[in-house]
């Protein structure tokens, strides 16, 4: 298991070995190539959206012009209040952000 700091959530985000393997298998264009950028996304996102599919999930996104001519990295993070826990269920590259309800945006 890996953990990553996320100031937006005020704590760490867990990434289990199983979820890491899921990302590598289903989104090979993201991992293992863009680990540094994934960590940057969690540490300094451009946008945070509340998932409409899963009420406890956030879509944490950051734009990178250096990834394939310009792409977002989107990390899907489930948050629990009691006990406080955050874990990543998947992450992927996107050309544009769609879906979810905008919760926060970098100004």
């Amino acid at each position: 298991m890996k953990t990553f700091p996320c100031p937006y959530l005020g704590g760490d985000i867990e990434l289990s070995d199983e979820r890491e393997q899921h990302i590598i298998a289903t989104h090979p264009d993201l991992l293992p190539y863009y680990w540094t950028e994934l960590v940057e996304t969690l540490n300094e996102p451009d946008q945070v959206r509340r998932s409409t599919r899963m009420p406890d999930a956030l879509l944490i996104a950051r734009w990178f012009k250096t990834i394939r001519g310009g792409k977002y990295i989107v990390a899907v993070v489930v948050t629990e209040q009691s006990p406080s826990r955050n874990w990543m269920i998947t992450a992927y590259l996107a050309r544009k952000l769609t879906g979810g309800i905008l919760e926060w945006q970098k100004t």
Side-chain angles (χ1 to χ4, degrees), residues 4-80:
F4 306 98
C6 182
Y8 178 81
L9 293 174
D12 290 338
I13 294 173
E14 302 170 4
L15 177 62
S16 70
D17 295 340
E18 184 272 329
R19 291 284 85 198
E20 180 181 345
Q21 290 307 310
H22 161 81
I23 295 167
I24 290 168
T26 57
H27 305 288
D29 52 344
L30 175 60
L31 292 183
Y33 306 108
Y34 298 111
W35 270 112
T36 301
E37 292 83 353
L38 177 58
V39 173
E40 286 180 43
T41 299
L42 299 172
N43 196 39
E44 295 183 52
D46 290 335
Q47 270 192 23
V48 178
R49 294 173 173 257
R50 177 74 51 190
S51 173
T52 53
R53 292 182 184 181
M54 296 177 59
D56 292 343
L58 296 174
L59 310 173
I60 300 174
R62 181 173 169 145
W63 174 259
F64 293 91
K65 66 180 178 181
T66 56
I67 297 177
R68 299 180 171 225
K71 300 277 185 187
Y72 285 96
I73 290 182
V74 181
V76 182
V77 176
V78 174
T79 62
E80 281 187 351

